């Protein structure tokens, strides 16, 4: 959909076989449309057409060719590689999303990138570490400019029961007004690692299938390097008795 009257457009998707490449989309409301073809590892340019009173039948040829790739690197403010950082590519025309994580060297790569207009985010897409950037991708291979993220902290959250025994498989949710949320599960030794935390106060809630739960607030100044916090989880009955 595009142009004035996009609200009248209807989404249609049909499957076309190589043995019968012609297609027809009938009974469309008069409106502005974007037309494109997609297939695994393939790409076509997006065509914009307007179905109006005097132009209600349009013929288009969509050419498929191999999709492209996009790569880059991310560094911390101290110059170190930003490993395991999420990079997101949101298609502004189709609404589709591609994402990848940086490797130990801070490098990232996205395959199957189609020609389109994108929003690029580093970190959580709803609250990234850098302002979102727009990219008009056309071509096979593109090296994205290297980026440097601001200073951030990292924590190790150890979840234990009332006897200080580690709880494996506890669900953690944390959020802050000024920073990205996180959603993690504790692994061995009841520990979950939280990275790329901007300075601020984070509210953390913990739940476990045993019925144990906890909530707390942690203050992050952005200089922490895997600082350990221990959070005690109790059942509601144990918590009531304790009071």
């Amino acid at each position: 959909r595009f142009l004035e009257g996009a609200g009248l457009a209807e989404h249609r998707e049909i499957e076309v076989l190589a043995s019968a490449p012609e297609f027809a989309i009938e009974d469309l409301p008069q409106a502005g449309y974007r037309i494109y073809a997609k297939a695994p590892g393939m790409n076509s340019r997006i065509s914009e057409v307007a179905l109006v009173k005097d132009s209600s039948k349009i013929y288009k040829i969509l050419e498929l060719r191999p999709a492209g790739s996009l790569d880059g690197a991310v560094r911390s403010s101290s110059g170190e590689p930003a490993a395991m950082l999420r990079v997101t590519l949101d298609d502004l025309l189709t609404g589709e999303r591609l994402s990848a994580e940086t490797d130990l060297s801070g490098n990232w790569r996205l395959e199957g990138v189609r020609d389109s207009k994108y929003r690029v985010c580093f970190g959580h897409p709803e609250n990234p570490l850098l302002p979102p950037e727009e990219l008009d991708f056309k071509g096979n291979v593109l090296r994205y400019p290297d980026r440097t993220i601001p200073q951030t902290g990292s924590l190790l959250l150890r979840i234990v029961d009332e006897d200080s025994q580690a709880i494996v498989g506890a669900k953690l949710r944390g959020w802050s007004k000024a920073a990205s949320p996180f959603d993690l599960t504790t692994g061995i030794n009841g520990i979950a690692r939280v990275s790329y935390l901007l300075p601020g106060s984070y509210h953390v809630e913990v739940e476990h299938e045993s019925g144990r739960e906890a909530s707390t607030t942690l203050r992050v100044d952005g200089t922490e390097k895997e600082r350990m916090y221990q959070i005690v989880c109790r059942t509601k009955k144990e918590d009531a008795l304790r009071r």
Side-chain angles (χ1 to χ4, degrees), residues 152-202:
T152 59
S154 60
L155 305 178
L156 295 177
L157 302 181
R158 185 170 188 262
I159 311 304
V160 299
D161 61 18
E162 61 281 359
D163 297 321
S164 297
Q165 298 299 308
I167 300 178
V168 178
K171 306 292 185 182
L172 287 80
R173 293 187 298 274
W175 60 91
S176 170
K177 291 183 179 180
S180 302
F182 56 86
D183 195 339
L184 302 168
T185 302
T186 57
I188 190 169
N189 296 326
I191 293 176
R193 185 179 188 273
V194 192
S195 303
Y196 302 113
L197 296 175
L198 290 169
S201 294
Y202 290 79

Side-chain angles (χ1 to χ4, degrees), residues 51-79:
L51 294 179
V52 295
K53 183 177 180 180
D54 298 325
S55 180
S56 59
K57 293 184 179 180
I58 294 177
Y59 186 82
K60 280 287 181 179
I61 296 177
L62 303 178
E63 180 185 359
L64 282 171
R65 63 182 187 278
S69 63
L70 181 67
D71 61 41
V74 186
R75 297 278 183 268
S76 68
S77 58
S78 61

Side-chain angles (χ1 to χ4, degrees), residues 18-35:
S19 58
E22 292 191 355
F23 65 93
I25 304 176
E26 308 284 356
D27 301 323
L28 285 170
Q30 293 182 358
Y33 291 89
R34 289 190 173 101
I35 306 172

